[in-house]
Amino acid sequence: MEQLEHHDAQPPGSALRRWPNYEAAAIGLREYWYPVMPSRKLGRKKMSAARIAGRELCLLRENGKIYVLENQCPHRGIPLSMGSREFPGHVACIYHGWVFDVTDGELKHALPDGPDSPIRGTLCVRTFPAEERLGMIWVWTGDGDPVPLDDDLPEEFLDPAADIFWRQSDSPGNWRYAVENGFDESHGKVLHRNSWWLFFNRMSAWNDTEITRSEDGKWLRRYQRKIVVQADYPGLGQWPRFNFFQRRRKTVQQGSNSHAVDVRLPATLRVRQPGNANWTHYEWYVPIDDSHYRYTQVAVAWATGFQRLMWRLRYWTYILWVHHYGFNNQDLMVVPLQNPLKAENLFRPDVSVTAWRRFADREHRRPSPETKAQNTEAAE
Amino acid sequence: MEQLEHHDAQPPGSALRRWPNYEAAAIGLREYWYPVMPSRKLGRKKMSAARIAGRELCLLRENGKIYVLENQCPHRGIPLSMGSREFPGHVACIYHGWVFDVTDGELKHALPDGPDSPIRGTLCVRTFPAEERLGMIWVWTGDGDPVPLDDDLPEEFLDPAADIFWRQSDSPGNWRYAVENGFDESHGKVLHRNSWWLFFNRMSAWNDTEITRSEDGKWLRRYQRKIVVQADYPGLGQWPRFNFFQRRRKTVQQGSNSHAVDVRLPATLRVRQPGNANWTHYEWYVPIDDSHYRYTQVAVAWATGFQRLMWRLRYWTYILWVHHYGFNNQDLMVVPLQNPLKAENLFRPDVSVTAWRRFADREHRRPSPETKAQNTEAAE
Amino acid sequence: MEQLEHHDAQPPGSALRRWPNYEAAAIGLREYWYPVMPSRKLGRKKMSAARIAGRELCLLRENGKIYVLENQCPHRGIPLSMGSREFPGHVACIYHGWVFDVTDGELKHALPDGPDSPIRGTLCVRTFPAEERLGMIWVWTGDGDPVPLDDDLPEEFLDPAADIFWRQSDSPGNWRYAVENGFDESHGKVLHRNSWWLFFNRMSAWNDTEITRSEDGKWLRRYQRKIVVQADYPGLGQWPRFNFFQRRRKTVQQGSNSHAVDVRLPATLRVRQPGNANWTHYEWYVPIDDSHYRYTQVAVAWATGFQRLMWRLRYWTYILWVHHYGFNNQDLMVVPLQNPLKAENLFRPDVSVTAWRRFADREHRRPSPETKAQNTEAAE
């Protein structure tokens, strides 16, 4: 396994500009599949609007299949999602009845210009590849040809025993601060210390963190080589101080959440729960624009029959409230407070942040220039 | 009658910049009389503020006559409309008691500097010609000498039998999209199809539209040479489909509203109601600034005695609710959704839009350079 | 005593740019002590945030002493005022537990990097000198070395008999318009004429105002050499007209408030109340940013024992309501209406405004270049 260097975090006080592609991606990396909307949110008749990675999308379901069009009529700019579905297989703009084929976005008719309108077939709205899978609607926002959706899914999602709970909410802040916060090893020891989740769990004072790669190369992983549960800080005293419940714990929450936290492109976090918890927490920080992201929390267990029932009970009575609301809302608070224009000063535990930045900067997917030219031209 | 060419609407996908004066007039064409405020809104004692075509106005009534001053004291910039009317024929600024003559805007006194203040007579606030007519206050916002108000009124307003109802509301959006929407022939067949107004009326599928001029050259008129009530659209089927009431109708609403729709400068629409309705609907899209306009709806009937009483009853019980609220609020919705920065693609029925744009671009009134220099200098 | 020239106010219509330092000081003059927050607003455990003269401040009380730090962690920019006080003498950032010494701002520990973190001692947050005096927390916002706080206090505040009431509220508008409004001689005769305060008091029509200096040179004073109670204005008649109560008054409120109004740097007004009122009104217009200021009203009487009790009763039942709310809220209204970009035209009574502008432009305190370089370098 590759090991990334520590010295990324040095020297303190250094300016940014060391990860130019990453810094340029304020509205998101586009050549990926993103989870846009839970299946249950998109009805059979209504259309929905969403902004993802700076793209305005019109989503609809037709005969059980999902279609996504650019959400702007080329005539006068009105959102197509306000339009009508009265013609099966088509979307009609609410303003002048321009009728588009949902499969390829072609302008099939402009109703008030009659059946022989010369504008028929001369214009298209852009379409985006979309799939419905695992209770979620996925959209490809890239200019290149889409990869198979499976390439952008954690492979354990494809296990038939996987039972998946999705929760999405739009939050202020840039998606990159949200990813960095998720993979950051050290903030959990401070920011989350007074969360309910940690009231009964023990967290260490500091660790020696190693950043590695998963065997398939897709995930960046942080692992603690050395864990120091409590330490004496000159001038401050012992830290942390444990409450009654924490003192009785033998196990230690080693990182910000657990002993194995992974991140992958485009903006996906995986937190394997420690010990015998037998479920895993995921997060997607889906970019909306440069100052908002669609925070996507996922809880997955692999269970069938009675075990699945018990898992669901546990999710609804405990995990949702303590973990998804109580714990992660502290993260939502700090993300928008970070100002990309101000200089930052990094320290040794930020090796997780800088490793992610380098990974994203260098290894994000990009379309071949020919494909991109071809695909964007076709849409205009 | 002049007929304007169809090919304005071609080719699809063309950029703007074909109507340079019109495109530059984001805050409105100024060398016109605008309906600013219904008479009943301006009291005898209070002053009112209004922003029209980017100008800040202070309106007041003195001895039954209307005066309009620039709404900004030249001393420290406080709006004069907050000031006092304690001296007849004058306005006193609320802050330091600078007293201006309402007829010419001259600074007559600066009270706390004593009766012999040397600043007397050295400054003016700009005044704007104003008239009260037909229940409305009209203001000339131009830099050139004002034309007679009658030149900017539809001449049928001057018929003593005219009974006029005004309704004004400030709306988001640029005034030009509001005019274009008003004169646009084709959107009514789609956008308004589900309004109450059309629930009992029949509207055609498509028309062949001709744009002409009124005999006095002031109005641009659209007229349907050919009307197709219903048509078969390959792949979609018959359109439109009529409900029970519409099927029983013999007459057809041919355009977006009616069989004769006219537009004139600066931003005035006329819709003669079909058949024996014997009333006419007008709209002024009075510019406020580049993203707001004062939407002005007018209903006029020519009637006296008992017929006038019946007309008023009809207006209050039916027209106001179904036409002014239900129908036109759909237009208010689409105007602010149009983005002037994005390319548009026009189609054949947009001949009404492009004819209006060319008309406004070429034939709008402008002051002679000498007059303008003289008038604006005098005000500074 | 120095007397400032009248001709500052001429010619009418002149542009700005005559007081370049003053015009540049949009966010405030920084080399001064400012009253930031009443003592009672800052608790023992909580920290408070304030923005003063464009600086973000974190205020805290430790062992009875006030400390002020720049309110931004150098790591990732999170406000320190959200952090924790669990280590006496230190502030810990809420996000990653960077621990700063409150006395000098030095980074003492970065908790999740262990007790031997190499970043210890390599960074500082800036600290600001602060003192708690007379029920108020005072902060030095300058880059130069602080002067003694007494230098920026009206010396009569140091009299042990002084009994001081503070009231602060944040208001829109630039601090300079607030000072100018406070020292302006003439607006009171117009703007405040209909306040409750003046309902029972007589105010003159116009005065001949003289601007002088206090003996110690710190205060600019306006004084009326000549007072004209009422005058005949050609075309307007007698002004002002007095009501029943005003006619019975023998004494005259000569200026906007009283017969002696003083102003000093940075932004401090003093209004000695007339006759036997034996209290004095002060205002500080503490700059927040270029469009907000912390309006600070102060009422002071010098009294002990029973007289102090009576003074307090009078303050709570009368002065607070009629003077602090009724009268001064009229000033709050006009300050944000003044637009720094528009040309102004000054008149003779603006001698008080221009004298203040020249005073502030030329005589404001500034740090020596060496001190400034040294102090700001140390903080970075």
Side-chain angles (χ1 to χ4, degrees):
Chain A
M1 296 189 198
E2 180 194 7
Q3 181 182 344
L4 305 177
E5 315 91 82
H6 265 205
H7 67 253
D8 264 325
Q10 299 301 334
S14 62
L16 294 175
R17 299 289 145 201
R18 296 167 59 196
W19 309 281
N21 297 314
Y22 181 69
E23 291 170 54
I27 61 169
L29 299 165
R30 279 180 163 168
E31 306 296 315
Y32 289 92
W33 290 94
Y34 281 107
V36 169
M37 192 178 286
S39 290
R40 67 177 183 279
K41 289 272 179 85
L42 185 67
R44 271 194 312 141
K45 291 291 181 62
K46 290 281 178 196
M47 293 181 275
S48 289
R51 180 189 289 164
I52 300 293
R55 303 233 190 261
E56 304 290 345
L57 307 176
C58 167
L59 294 92
L60 60 102
R61 179 181 274 121
E62 175 92 22
N63 284 330
K65 192 165 156 25
I66 303 296
Y67 298 94
V68 177
L69 307 177
E70 186 173 11
N71 196 17
Q72 191 186 355
C73 180
H75 178 211
R76 302 280 280 181
I78 305 298
L80 290 177
S81 57
M82 301 172 68
S84 111
R85 301 280 305 281
E86 64 185 290
F87 306 110
H90 297 81
V91 168
C93 178
I94 192 178
Y95 197 13
H96 293 88
W98 285 27
V99 178
F100 301 91
D101 189 311
V102 299
T103 62
D104 57 7
E106 190 180 305
L107 177 63
K108 290 295 188 193
H109 282 287
L111 295 174
D113 197 20
D116 301 318
S117 170
I119 207 167
R120 294 180 60 198
T122 66
L123 289 169
C124 278
V125 295
R126 182 167 181 168
T127 59
F128 294 90
E131 288 197 36
E132 191 164 16
R133 189 90 71 82
L134 306 167
M136 175 55 66
I137 295 167
W138 303 81
V139 179
W140 172 263
T141 59
D143 290 321
D145 289 332
V147 304
L149 171 56
D150 287 5
D151 287 7
D152 284 349
L153 290 181
E155 65 180 16
E156 63 272 27
F157 274 43
L158 305 175
D159 182 333
D163 195 37
I164 305 181
F165 288 95
W166 298 93
R167 182 174 172 257
Q168 281 193 320
S169 58
D170 291 358
S171 292
N174 188 268
W175 70 278
R176 291 170 298 189
Y177 294 119
V179 185
E180 293 175 9
N181 178 76
F183 193 53
D184 172 24
E185 186 268 335
S186 63
H187 79 275
K189 304 177 191 311
V190 182
L191 180 65
H192 298 312
R193 190 162 290 275
N194 64 347
S195 70
W196 294 350
W197 189 261
L198 284 175
F199 190 77
F200 302 103
N201 287 289
R202 196 177 233 195
M203 194 173 264
S204 61
W206 65 280
N207 309 319
D208 184 10
T209 300
E210 184 184 24
I211 308 291
T212 64
R213 281 289 183 92
S214 65
E215 284 179 20
D216 62 4
K218 289 190 166 183
W219 296 89
L220 213 56
R221 170 165 300 179
R222 62 175 162 83
Y223 185 80
Q224 278 67 252
R225 283 184 295 211
K226 179 181 164 191
I227 295 169
V228 180
V229 176
Q230 199 177 37
D232 185 63
Y233 291 77
L236 305 184
Q238 288 286 320
W239 186 84
R241 289 173 199 136
F242 295 117
N243 65 23
F244 173 79
F245 299 100
Q246 289 164 338
R247 272 196 297 270
R248 294 165 62 92
R249 280 271 167 182
K250 294 229 177 69
T251 58
V252 176
Q253 308 284 334
Q254 298 172 4
S256 74
N257 303 299
S258 164
H259 60 275
V261 178
D262 305 327
V263 72
R264 61 177 281 173
L265 289 163
T268 313
L269 191 76
R270 176 172 64 192
V271 185
R272 291 191 202 279
Q273 297 303 308
N276 57 357
N278 76 6
W279 67 282
T280 299
H281 174 74
Y282 297 81
E283 301 192 346
W284 267 263
Y285 313 96
V286 181
I288 295 174
D289 54 30
D290 65 2
S291 53
H292 296 84
Y293 64 102
R294 184 160 283 189
Y295 181 48
T296 305
Q297 295 171 297
V298 197
V300 185
W302 292 263
T304 52
F306 181 71
Q307 279 194 315
R308 175 173 285 206
L309 193 66
M310 292 307 293
W311 149 247
R312 292 189 171 190
L313 196 64
R314 185 161 152 236
Y315 178 79
W316 288 113
T317 57
Y318 178 64
I319 291 172
L320 175 63
W321 305 101
V322 172
H323 198 90
H324 279 192
Y325 291 148
F327 187 89
N328 292 120
N329 280 353
Q330 296 180 320
D331 294 314
L332 294 187
M333 178 184 68
V334 295
V335 169
L337 294 174
Q338 297 180 56
N339 185 334
L341 297 175
K342 290 179 182 158
E344 62 182 11
N345 292 279
L346 302 180
F347 74 143
R348 201 163 46 178
D350 283 322
V351 62
S352 52
V353 171
T354 54
W356 153 254
R357 285 181 182 176
R358 186 147 31 100
F359 178 63
D361 185 62
R362 298 183 189 169
E363 304 194 27
H364 68 275
R365 195 182 288 145
R366 51 207 101 178
S368 72
E370 302 78 35
T371 318
K372 180 174 176 176
Q374 185 185 324
N375 287 341
T376 53
E377 183 197 352
E380 278 156 23
Chain B
M1 294 190 200
E2 178 195 10
Q3 182 180 344
L4 305 177
E5 316 91 84
H6 265 205
H7 65 253
D8 265 325
Q10 300 301 337
S14 63
L16 293 176
R17 301 287 146 201
R18 296 168 59 198
W19 309 279
N21 296 314
Y22 181 70
E23 290 170 55
I27 59 171
L29 299 166
R30 279 181 163 167
E31 307 296 315
Y32 289 91
W33 289 94
Y34 281 107
V36 169
M37 191 177 288
S39 290
R40 65 175 186 280
K41 288 272 179 87
L42 184 66
R44 271 195 313 139
K45 290 292 181 62
K46 290 282 177 195
M47 294 181 275
S48 290
R51 181 188 288 164
I52 300 294
R55 303 232 190 262
E56 303 291 344
L57 307 177
C58 167
L59 295 92
L60 60 102
R61 178 180 276 121
E62 176 93 22
N63 282 331
K65 192 165 157 26
I66 302 296
Y67 297 94
V68 177
L69 307 177
E70 186 173 10
N71 196 17
Q72 191 187 355
C73 180
H75 179 211
R76 304 279 282 180
I78 305 298
L80 290 177
S81 58
M82 301 174 69
S84 111
R85 302 281 306 282
E86 64 184 290
F87 307 109
H90 298 82
V91 168
C93 179
I94 192 178
Y95 197 12
H96 293 88
W98 285 26
V99 178
F100 300 91
D101 189 311
V102 299
T103 60
D104 58 7
E106 189 180 304
L107 176 63
K108 290 294 189 194
H109 282 287
L111 294 175
D113 198 20
D116 302 318
S117 170
I119 207 168
R120 296 178 59 198
T122 66
L123 291 168
C124 278
V125 294
R126 182 168 182 168
T127 59
F128 294 90
E131 288 195 38
E132 192 163 15
R133 190 90 70 82
L134 305 167
M136 175 55 66
I137 295 167
W138 304 81
V139 179
W140 172 264
T141 60
D143 291 321
D145 289 331
V147 304
L149 170 56
D150 287 5
D151 286 6
D152 284 350
L153 292 181
E155 64 182 15
E156 62 272 27
F157 275 43
L158 305 176
D159 183 332
D163 194 38
I164 306 181
F165 287 96
W166 297 94
R167 181 172 172 258
Q168 283 193 319
S169 59
D170 291 357
S171 292
N174 189 269
W175 71 278
R176 291 170 298 189
Y177 295 119
V179 185
E180 293 175 8
N181 178 76
F183 193 53
D184 171 25
E185 187 266 335
S186 62
H187 78 276
K189 305 178 191 308
V190 183
L191 180 65
H192 298 312
R193 189 163 291 274
N194 65 346
S195 70
W196 295 350
W197 190 259
L198 285 175
F199 190 77
F200 301 102
N201 288 288
R202 195 177 233 196
M203 194 174 262
S204 62
W206 64 280
N207 309 319
D208 184 11
T209 300
E210 183 184 26
I211 308 292
T212 64
R213 281 288 183 92
S214 64
E215 285 180 19
D216 61 5
K218 288 191 166 182
W219 296 91
L220 213 56
R221 170 165 298 178
R222 61 175 164 83
Y223 184 79
Q224 279 67 250
R225 284 183 294 211
K226 178 182 164 191
I227 294 169
V228 180
V229 176
Q230 201 178 36
D232 186 65
Y233 290 78
L236 305 184
Q238 288 287 319
W239 186 84
R241 290 171 198 138
F242 296 117
N243 65 25
F244 174 78
F245 300 100
Q246 289 164 338
R247 271 195 298 272
R248 293 164 63 92
R249 280 270 166 185
K250 294 228 175 68
T251 58
V252 177
Q253 308 284 332
Q254 299 171 4
S256 73
N257 303 299
S258 164
H259 60 276
V261 177
D262 304 326
V263 71
R264 62 176 281 174
L265 290 164
T268 312
L269 191 76
R270 177 171 64 191
V271 185
R272 292 189 204 278
Q273 297 302 306
N276 56 357
N278 77 3
W279 68 282
T280 300
H281 174 73
Y282 297 82
E283 300 192 346
W284 267 264
Y285 313 96
V286 182
I288 294 176
D289 53 31
D290 64 1
S291 54
H292 296 84
Y293 64 103
R294 183 160 284 188
Y295 181 48
T296 304
Q297 295 171 297
V298 197
V300 185
W302 291 263
T304 52
F306 181 72
Q307 279 195 315
R308 175 173 284 206
L309 193 68
M310 292 308 293
W311 148 248
R312 292 190 172 187
L313 195 65
R314 185 161 152 236
Y315 177 79
W316 288 112
T317 56
Y318 178 64
I319 292 172
L320 174 64
W321 305 101
V322 172
H323 198 91
H324 280 192
Y325 292 148
F327 188 90
N328 292 120
N329 280 352
Q330 296 180 321
D331 294 313
L332 294 187
M333 179 182 69
V334 295
V335 170
L337 294 172
Q338 297 179 57
N339 185 335
L341 297 175
K342 290 178 181 159
E344 60 183 10
N345 293 278
L346 301 181
F347 75 144
R348 201 163 47 178
D350 283 321
V351 62
S352 52
V353 171
T354 54
W356 152 253
R357 286 181 181 176
R358 185 147 30 102
F359 179 62
D361 184 62
R362 298 184 188 168
E363 304 194 28
H364 67 277
R365 196 181 287 146
R366 50 208 102 177
S368 73
E370 301 78 33
T371 318
K372 180 175 177 178
Q374 186 185 324
N375 287 341
T376 54
E377 184 197 348
E380 277 155 23
Chain C
M1 295 190 197
E2 179 194 8
Q3 182 181 343
L4 305 177
E5 315 90 83
H6 265 204
H7 66 254
D8 264 325
Q10 300 300 337
S14 62
L16 293 177
R17 299 287 148 205
R18 296 167 60 196
W19 309 279
N21 296 314
Y22 181 70
E23 290 171 54
I27 61 169
L29 299 165
R30 280 179 162 170
E31 306 297 314
Y32 289 91
W33 290 94
Y34 282 107
V36 168
M37 191 177 285
S39 290
R40 66 176 185 278
K41 289 271 180 85
L42 185 66
R44 271 193 314 140
K45 291 291 180 64
K46 290 281 177 193
M47 292 182 276
S48 289
R51 180 188 292 165
I52 300 292
R55 303 231 189 264
E56 303 291 345
L57 306 177
C58 167
L59 294 92
L60 60 101
R61 178 181 274 122
E62 176 92 22
N63 283 330
K65 192 165 157 22
I66 303 297
Y67 297 94
V68 177
L69 306 177
E70 187 172 11
N71 196 17
Q72 191 186 356
C73 179
H75 179 212
R76 303 281 278 181
I78 305 296
L80 291 177
S81 58
M82 299 174 69
S84 112
R85 301 279 307 280
E86 64 183 291
F87 307 109
H90 297 81
V91 169
C93 179
I94 192 177
Y95 196 13
H96 293 88
W98 286 27
V99 178
F100 301 91
D101 189 311
V102 299
T103 62
D104 59 6
E106 190 180 304
L107 177 63
K108 291 294 189 193
H109 282 287
L111 294 174
D113 197 20
D116 301 317
S117 169
I119 207 169
R120 294 179 60 198
T122 66
L123 289 170
C124 279
V125 294
R126 181 167 183 171
T127 59
F128 294 90
E131 288 196 36
E132 191 163 16
R133 191 90 71 83
L134 305 167
M136 175 55 65
I137 294 168
W138 303 81
V139 178
W140 172 264
T141 59
D143 291 321
D145 289 330
V147 303
L149 171 56
D150 287 5
D151 287 7
D152 283 350
L153 291 181
E155 65 182 14
E156 64 271 27
F157 273 44
L158 305 175
D159 182 333
D163 194 39
I164 306 181
F165 287 96
W166 297 94
R167 181 171 173 258
Q168 283 193 319
S169 59
D170 291 356
S171 292
N174 188 269
W175 70 279
R176 292 170 299 189
Y177 295 119
V179 185
E180 293 175 8
N181 178 76
F183 192 53
D184 171 24
E185 188 265 337
S186 63
H187 78 277
K189 304 177 191 311
V190 182
L191 181 65
H192 298 312
R193 191 164 290 276
N194 65 347
S195 70
W196 294 350
W197 189 259
L198 283 176
F199 189 76
F200 301 102
N201 287 288
R202 195 178 234 195
M203 194 173 263
S204 61
W206 64 280
N207 308 320
D208 183 11
T209 299
E210 184 183 23
I211 308 291
T212 64
R213 280 290 182 90
S214 65
E215 285 181 19
D216 63 2
K218 289 190 166 181
W219 296 90
L220 215 54
R221 170 165 299 177
R222 62 175 162 85
Y223 185 80
Q224 280 67 252
R225 281 183 296 211
K226 179 181 163 192
I227 295 169
V228 180
V229 175
Q230 200 177 36
D232 185 64
Y233 290 77
L236 305 184
Q238 288 287 318
W239 186 83
R241 290 171 199 138
F242 295 118
N243 67 22
F244 173 79
F245 299 100
Q246 290 165 337
R247 272 195 297 271
R248 294 166 61 93
R249 279 271 167 184
K250 293 227 178 72
T251 58
V252 177
Q253 308 284 333
Q254 299 172 3
S256 74
N257 302 300
S258 163
H259 60 275
V261 177
D262 305 325
V263 72
R264 61 176 281 173
L265 290 162
T268 313
L269 191 75
R270 177 172 65 192
V271 185
R272 290 191 204 278
Q273 297 302 308
N276 56 357
N278 76 6
W279 68 281
T280 300
H281 174 73
Y282 297 81
E283 300 191 346
W284 265 263
Y285 313 96
V286 182
I288 294 175
D289 54 29
D290 65 1
S291 54
H292 296 84
Y293 65 102
R294 185 159 282 188
Y295 181 48
T296 305
Q297 295 171 296
V298 197
V300 185
W302 291 264
T304 53
F306 181 71
Q307 280 195 315
R308 176 173 284 204
L309 193 67
M310 292 308 293
W311 149 248
R312 292 190 173 188
L313 195 65
R314 185 160 153 237
Y315 178 78
W316 288 112
T317 56
Y318 178 65
I319 292 172
L320 174 64
W321 305 100
V322 173
H323 197 90
H324 279 191
Y325 290 147
F327 188 90
N328 292 121
N329 280 353
Q330 295 181 319
D331 295 313
L332 294 186
M333 178 183 71
V334 293
V335 170
L337 293 174
Q338 298 179 55
N339 184 334
L341 297 175
K342 289 177 182 161
E344 61 184 8
N345 292 279
L346 301 182
F347 74 145
R348 202 163 46 177
D350 283 322
V351 63
S352 52
V353 171
T354 54
W356 153 254
R357 285 180 181 176
R358 185 147 30 102
F359 179 63
D361 185 63
R362 298 185 189 169
E363 303 193 29
H364 68 276
R365 198 181 284 147
R366 49 208 102 176
S368 73
E370 302 78 36
T371 317
K372 180 174 177 176
Q374 186 185 324
N375 286 340
T376 53
E377 184 198 350
E380 278 156 21

